[in-house]
Amino acid sequence: MASLYERLGGEAAVNQAVEIFYRKVLSDDRVQHFFDDVDMERQIAKQKAFLTMVFGGPSHYSGKDMREGHQHLVARGLNDSHVDAIVELLSETLQELGAGESDIREMATIANSVRDDVLNR
Amino acid sequence: MAKVEYCGSVVDVASSVSVLDALLAHGHEIPHGCRAGACQSCLMQATQGCVPEAAQDGLKSTLKAQNYFLACRCQAATDLVVQLPQASAVRFSATVIERELLAEDVMALHLRSDAPIDYRAGQYMTLWRDERLGRSYSLASVPSLDAHLTFHVKRAPGGVMSGWIHDRLRTGETLQLQGPVGSCFYVPETADQNLLLAGTGTGLAPLYGIARDALHAGHRGDIHLFHGALDTAGLYLVDALRRLEARYSNFHYHPSVLRSPAQLPEGVQVGAIDRLISTTAPELTGWKVFLCGAPDLVAQLRKRIFLAGAHSADIYADAFFSAAPPPS
């Protein structure tokens, strides 16, 4: 049986999704200040790696990476409500790409599985 | 089994192993990150050999055209000679052919290099006064149209290099050049795509080159060039750009100033460049965009333009930092 990542369309789907997701994030008052990196190219590369992971694709991010990568954001007030917003925007992104309900739920499960690492607790 | 040469040493790479892993296993220090083709920190350039398509996935077309690739995604099928980006930068000398004042504080410096230079309009080079003092300037010239290399040098307040170029450097004298580098240039792959070129100050230099390069290559889509300046004294090449507009029906020149003068010249708008772009071209889906100028402005414009619909890989930005990069 094909994995979630394969069902969604693999790397091509990630490349498509990052354009939609990052636009959503930058237009969302709840979370945009966490993504206000002057270096958009680097920011998009990070988003691609993140989406690959939550789509269940080949990713090399460990729990330790997730913790260290978000430490400075937690210090700036990153909390559960922001993670909820991100999961919501991710779900909308997948919907726009035509993914089914169960695939979207599976993605949300992966995203929620790193919640504690992201929030450093 | 392919052979990959790096820094003079040859490494055997099995077809199942990436060039990155093979080089790391042999003790070479290659910058790398996600190993999934996403972060692009293992970007390398092949100077010989053919890079597999998969290793260039996600790279801009300008980088692909120069044989850049991601080492972590590269399973070499054939022999390669590779290097880290820009390691090939060397200096060579050039002679000043002409100095031409384009605006009160902007000088066009026309140079003839001693060795032929393979460059693309929109790239930049580092000009060296001596061993220690160098600054990067964008090329305003187009290889297929101009005999010489042209740079626009703005006199920076207290600027050692720009002051030297404006006040000391004479026609017939030589200086050293390094480069060219940069991926902010036109690639004639989609002649029907609309182009947005926007910049402030001497950010016009690369945009002027890119516009003429595209028009000369027969670009069919619309080309909108926005040039912003503080006041009308900062607008330059106005006549040349108007002539281009008269000659090519798909070329549109939009000069603007922040400070309104007593008498506003015809065709010049007052206001912030990002607002003028939003008014003229509110929807940018499918456009290719080139941005040049002050880093803050470039970052801000880039975000706005992305949100207006342009694909992130279609936005080419060249931020002009006022400080020089450390000499390599």
Side-chain angles (χ1 to χ4, degrees), chain A residues 11 15 19 22-23 26-27 35-38 40-41 44-45 48-49 58 60-61, chain B residues 34-36 38-39 57-58 60 73 299 302-303 306-307 309-313 315:
Chain A
E11 201 179 321
N15 288 335
E19 291 288 316
Y22 191 39
R23 271 195 194 97
L26 286 179
S27 315
F35 293 85
D36 213 4
D37 193 326
V38 286
M40 206 170 106
E41 222 152 293
I44 282 179
K48 273 189 191 169
H60 300 267
Y61 284 86
Chain B
C34 72
R35 294 195 187 198
C39 74
D57 211 30
K60 288 182 172 174
R73 303 306 297 269
R302 184 176 207 163
K303 200 171 288 176
F306 175 66
L307 289 174
H311 196 284
S312 62
I315 307 175

Side-chain angles (χ1 to χ4, degrees), chain B residues 65-257:
Chain B
Q66 297 175 97
N67 282 326
Y68 279 91
F69 67 98
L70 299 175
C72 75
R73 303 306 297 269
C74 184
Q75 267 139 11
T78 55
D79 293 355
L80 294 174
V81 179
V82 301
Q83 63 187 19
L84 289 173
Q86 295 179 32
S88 66
V90 286
R91 298 185 199 178
F92 40 87
S93 61
T95 308
V96 180
I97 298 301
E98 194 191 342
R99 301 157 78 256
E100 178 191 1
L101 211 54
L102 297 175
E104 204 178 326
D105 59 353
V106 178
M107 177 177 289
L109 192 60
H110 302 284
L111 304 178
R112 187 186 57 226
S113 77
D114 293 355
I117 296 180
D118 185 17
Y119 75 97
R120 294 175 183 240
Q123 288 191 299
Y124 57 92
M125 302 188 77
T126 302
L127 275 56
W128 295 90
R129 184 189 72 179
D130 50 47
E131 273 303 301
R132 292 169 61 188
L133 184 67
R135 294 284 189 272
S136 292
Y137 295 99
S138 282
L139 286 148
S141 48
V142 181
S144 54
L145 295 172
D146 303 309
H148 302 130
L149 303 169
T150 302
F151 301 90
H152 296 172
V153 181
K154 189 186 173 79
R155 185 196 289 276
V160 192
M161 185 70 179
S162 61
W164 174 72
I165 290 172
H166 274 258
D167 302 331
R168 305 263 171 207
L169 185 65
R170 297 280 171 255
T171 300
E173 290 182 346
T174 60
L175 43 69
Q176 300 291 302
L177 291 179
Q178 181 181 326
V181 283
S183 53
C184 198
F185 55 76
Y186 179 72
V187 181
E189 52 184 2
T190 44
D192 293 308
Q193 205 170 8
N194 290 334
L195 305 183
L196 170 65
L197 281 55
T200 52
T202 48
L204 179 61
L207 301 179
Y208 183 58
I210 292 165
R212 289 189 304 137
D213 193 19
L215 291 167
H216 182 66
H219 192 80
R220 292 188 297 267
D222 278 329
I223 303 175
H224 288 269
L225 191 156
F226 288 82
H227 184 217
L230 204 56
D231 46 42
T232 48
L235 293 175
Y236 64 93
L237 287 177
V238 176
D239 292 342
L241 287 160
R242 294 236 194 269
R243 280 198 298 276
L244 276 186
E245 208 171 23
R247 185 171 165 198
Y248 296 97
S249 60
N250 62 333
F251 179 70
H252 312 279
Y253 169 51
H254 307 275
S256 65
V257 290

Side-chain angles (χ1 to χ4, degrees), chain B residues 275-321:
Chain B
R275 270 215 353 263
L276 300 175
I277 292 169
S278 299
T279 314
T280 311
E283 226 290 312
L284 297 171
T285 304
W287 286 56
K288 186 165 275 192
V289 182
F290 296 91
L291 306 172
C292 301
D296 286 356
L297 177 96
V298 165
Q300 184 201 341
L301 272 181
R302 184 176 207 163
K303 200 171 288 176
R304 268 213 180 208
I305 277 156
F306 175 66
L307 289 174
H311 196 284
S312 62
D314 278 336
I315 307 175
Y316 296 81
D318 203 350
F320 287 15
F321 293 92

